[in-house]
Amino acid sequence: MFHKLLVANRSEIAVRVMKTARRMGIRTVAIHSDADRNALHVRAADEAVLIGPAPVSESYLKGEAIVEAARRTGAEAIHPGYGFLSENPGFVEAVEAAGLVFVGPPASAIRAMGLKDAAKRLMEAAGVPVVPGYHGVDQQTETLRREAAAIGYPVLIKARAGGGGKGMRLVERPADFAAALEGARREGQASFGDPAVLIERYVTAPRHVEIQVFADGHGHVVHLFERDCSLQRRHQKVIEEAPAPGMTEEVREAMGRAAVEAARAISYRGAGTVEFIADGSQGLRPDRFWFMEMNTRLQVEHPVSEAITGLDFVELQLRVAAGEELPFRQEDLRIRGHAVEARLYAEDVTRGFLPATGRLDHLRFPPAAAFEPSPLRIDSGVEEGDEITPWYDPMIAKVIVHGSDRPAALRALAEALNGIEVAGTVTNIAFLARLAREANFVAGDVDTGLIGRAGEALLRAGEPSADAPIVAGLALAGLLDPPEGNDPWSRLRGFRSWGRPDFALRLVRDGEEIELSLALIEGGVRLSDGATVRLHRDGARVVVEREGHRRSLGLVVKGSRATVFEAGGAATYSLPDPLDRTRGNAAGGNAILAPMPGLVTKLWVCAGERVSTGDPVAVIEAMKMEHTLNSPRDGVIGEILVAEGAQVSDGDSLAVLEPAADG
């Protein structure tokens, strides 16, 4: 076994690999960019090497620098994690040429599955069912348009080197094909350095079911059952589970056999995932699933498969890479219970899941012991005080629960999500909590369109309770702290009084002002409607009593911001800034603003050009995903304030929209 391992990745997956390595007595080396100098994965390693500036192309994608770091520190093997260089055959060859061990499949296997079009041709030859579509080498626009028409709309355009929803576009009408193709090509080039695409028939009730496979260097290949990853938004997974709801032994055996044959066809070694698309309109059937792609690496969602098999996949990867045989055969494997994983991100659900940034002023997860006998596992690459930057994926944590059956696991997941507290950035916690209780999902009636169909019921941000602004306002004014001396009125610092015990509480939440009229009473406040609210500060909690009902709210105050936590949600309030002239004018302003930090990759308009509501104005790339900004109303572009290639911050002005002369 290896004595020292370099982990060629960052954040959550790097920390997760290091935990297993430490348990096995293997020392670890972290790599990091300038932006990650103080990151958790750096602190978790025995050694760390600076690899370059923040952009991934200058740090985490610099294969030669990573190999040199391994040689310099005496590491014998390199674990790539997922993403970055994990599926780059050139990197594998460079690692092996340096006399090091790559913890993963051979370069030939990665190369065989690296391009979706070639992989599908290979799978067809191996007898694995493949989604009908165009996987050819001719990439002329007219050829692709003609093939899409022959397949029949709706179709999916997919970057052939893609993954994670990048470079993927659903096209429902021929008129939309050209714009979708251009976007897919551009995103494929930005994310993978390859603009080529393939086209597939869009399955109208698709289930995304994948099979975990493992192979050693001694000819043994097994599958470790399936995962259902159908709960997706914008082609990216949100909640995954194992086993798949509605799975029968007949279909499991057929899918498992196809996945094993796929691995054998490319002489695979290590951990891999064979992804299938299944027609869920009539339940899972052995003749209604098709090969999509093979991920030649560890998957983000691997913990749910670990939970139901009782295995540590990273340990298996390391042992196989060291030349050992798999310690089991197919007949030895059994499914134990049910596991579910939710991906907790810094993102704004109400703004189309735009990635968010910010410092994690407060980060709390419920204790795992509170969830027995349904174990809770948190895989995270950040801690309180860390920064979510625009440079990398905004994942905060993976929340994994394992129950005796699916209902028990879903109940535990909902409870765990309700107990998570994050302040300093917006997150998708409340969305995940609603999704975990969504009726169709709970019933097992899932497909990749469920989130889109549920619409506002899932996406709408729940309003905080009437108690939340009271708690936040009193906290920001210091009125929840002990009084100064013996004078209770000294607690009124920061508020204006009109000679009565009433005062006005002014706060800002999500850009809008809130005003409350309150009067201090012993132990609490009286509202303008005569109702009384009594409050008691208990560390990071505030006990609120109203009309005989007591409840506990979480509270975090950081500078001029107060965040109040209620079950499954959080609301952040601040005191109004009297110097902020833009407050309240955003909706009717003339500036088209960047909704997130990112790179301006395309401008669709020029100064003086007339636009209509919904017309594309600019494209911003953030976390390797493209986001199109559209005109909010009819008008004329008065001025363009940025150039293509510019890096912008959240709220920066991109263009000025003026009324049309005849409008």
Side-chain angles (χ1 to χ4, degrees), residues 2 5-9 66-67 75-110 268-271 296-298 317-323:
F2 316 113
L5 174 73
L6 183 142
V7 183
N9 217 294
I66 294 171
V67 171
E76 304 143 277
I78 294 179
H79 193 300
Y82 50 71
F84 295 142
L85 294 171
S86 62
E87 295 180 282
N88 185 311
F91 178 63
V92 178
E93 291 166 343
V95 170
E96 294 174 345
L100 307 172
V101 175
F102 179 77
V103 182
S108 58
I110 296 176
Y268 199 74
R269 184 181 67 243
T296 52
R297 54 171 168 77
L298 201 63
Q317 284 186 297
L318 293 171
R319 295 195 179 282
V320 166

Side-chain angles (χ1 to χ4, degrees), residues 524-548:
V525 295
R526 184 189 303 106
L527 307 181
S528 58
D529 62 3
T532 60
V533 179
R534 301 189 181 278
L535 306 100
H536 171 66
R537 181 76 176 262
D538 183 12
R541 311 292 297 179
V542 177
V543 178
V544 180
E545 182 176 349
R546 183 196 288 254
E547 297 178 353

